[in-house]
């Protein structure tokens, strides 16, 4: 199998290889990313009686948790999958390795191509060393710098924050966790929604 490397070219460029590699290896094309949520409400426009301005009462706390996810597609668009996990604090290299290990279990040994951004944890020495031991199932490609609009999973975070988390004023992180998990599960069960996020980026499989 090809060496696990990261590149700077866009995954839309056929010469880069993700689509060709996916077809040749029968691999899932997986877009990966992380995002965070906290006890601070995600403020969104809402309805209210005329002349009554909605007011959010919340705890001013920066206590937060993070979510990591993968939007996965078959090259022929026949199937999609959404895999996610959540953790207190932020994702580091060790936590991301655990997540990728869970990803391997989810796909039961099928080939996977992960496309992600240039987060330091994605490029760390420990991650590079670990990826080198996973070449039998995993190939990694880098998104272009400063191009989050090319990653369909960015649409996932925005969708959840505009729906389940919109104007939520939780007292504890468990409330955030439950609402977030509900939203992510909703998205993962919708083939149409998962593919609409991909179409929104303008990328093709």
């Amino acid at each position: 199998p090809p060496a696990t490397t990261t590149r700077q070219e866009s995954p839309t460029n056929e010469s880069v290889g993700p689509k060709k590699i996916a077809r040749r290896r029968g691999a899932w094309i997986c877009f990966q990313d992380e995002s965070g949520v906290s006890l601070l409400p995600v403020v969104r426009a809402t309805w209210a009686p005329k002349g009554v301005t909605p007011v959010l009462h919340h705890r001013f706390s920066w206590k937060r948790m993070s979510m990591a996810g993968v939007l996965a597609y078959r090259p022929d668009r026949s199937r999609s999958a959404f895999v996610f996990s959540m953790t207190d604090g932020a994702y580091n290299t060790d936590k991301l390795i655990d997540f990728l290990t869970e990803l391997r279990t989810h796909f039961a040994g099928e080939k996977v191509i992960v496309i992600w951004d240039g987060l330091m944890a994605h490029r760390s020495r420990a991650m590079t060393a670990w990826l080198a031991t996973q070449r039998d199932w995993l190939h990694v490609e880098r998104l272009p710098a400063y191009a989050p609009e090319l990653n369909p999973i960015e649409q996932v975070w925005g969708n959840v924050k505009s729906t389940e988390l919109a104007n939520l004023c939780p007292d504890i992180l468990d409330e955030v966790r439950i609402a977030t998990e509900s939203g992510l599960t909703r998205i993962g069960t919708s083939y149409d929604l998962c593919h609409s996020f991909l179409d929104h980026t303008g990328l093709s499989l």
Side-chain angles (χ1 to χ4, degrees), residues 28-35 67-73 79-86 99 103 106-107 151-157 159-160 180-191 193-195 197:
W28 287 85
I29 299 176
C30 300
F31 294 87
Q32 193 277 340
D33 193 35
E34 305 84 18
S35 186
M67 45 193 173
V70 156
L71 263 178
Y73 305 93
R79 296 168 61 194
S80 63
F82 179 51
V83 182
F84 68 89
S85 69
M86 292 180 285
F99 175 68
L103 188 68
H106 178 86
F107 287 115
N151 196 339
I153 201 169
E154 295 283 356
Q155 301 296 315
V156 172
W157 311 140
N159 186 281
V160 171
T180 302
E181 186 171 357
S182 174
L184 297 177
T185 300
R186 168 181 59 81
I187 289 170
T189 57
S190 173
Y191 170 95
L193 199 53
C194 288
H195 279 83
F197 294 150

Side-chain angles (χ1 to χ4, degrees), residues 104-170:
R104 183 178 191 179
T105 300
H106 178 86
F107 287 115
E110 292 187 79
K111 307 294 184 183
V112 168
I113 296 174
V114 167
I115 302 172
W116 60 15
D117 60 24
L119 184 73
M120 183 60 68
H122 298 166
R123 301 181 286 112
S124 69
R125 183 174 299 178
M127 178 63 77
T128 301
W130 182 81
L131 290 174
T133 68
Q134 307 298 312
R135 294 173 178 170
D136 59 319
W137 72 280
L138 177 61
H139 180 86
V140 175
E141 292 283 345
R142 180 84 59 80
L143 281 167
Y146 309 111
E149 70 278 2
L150 293 179
N151 196 339
I153 201 169
E154 295 283 356
Q155 301 296 315
V156 172
W157 311 140
N159 186 281
V160 171
K161 291 177 181 179
S162 294
T163 308
E164 283 78 9
L165 297 180
N167 301 319
L168 178 68
C169 297

Side-chain angles (χ1 to χ4, degrees), residues 166-181:
N167 301 319
L168 178 68
C169 297
D171 290 320
I172 57 176
L173 271 180
D174 275 349
E175 295 179 53
V176 181
R177 190 188 310 274
I178 291 170
T180 302
E181 186 171 357

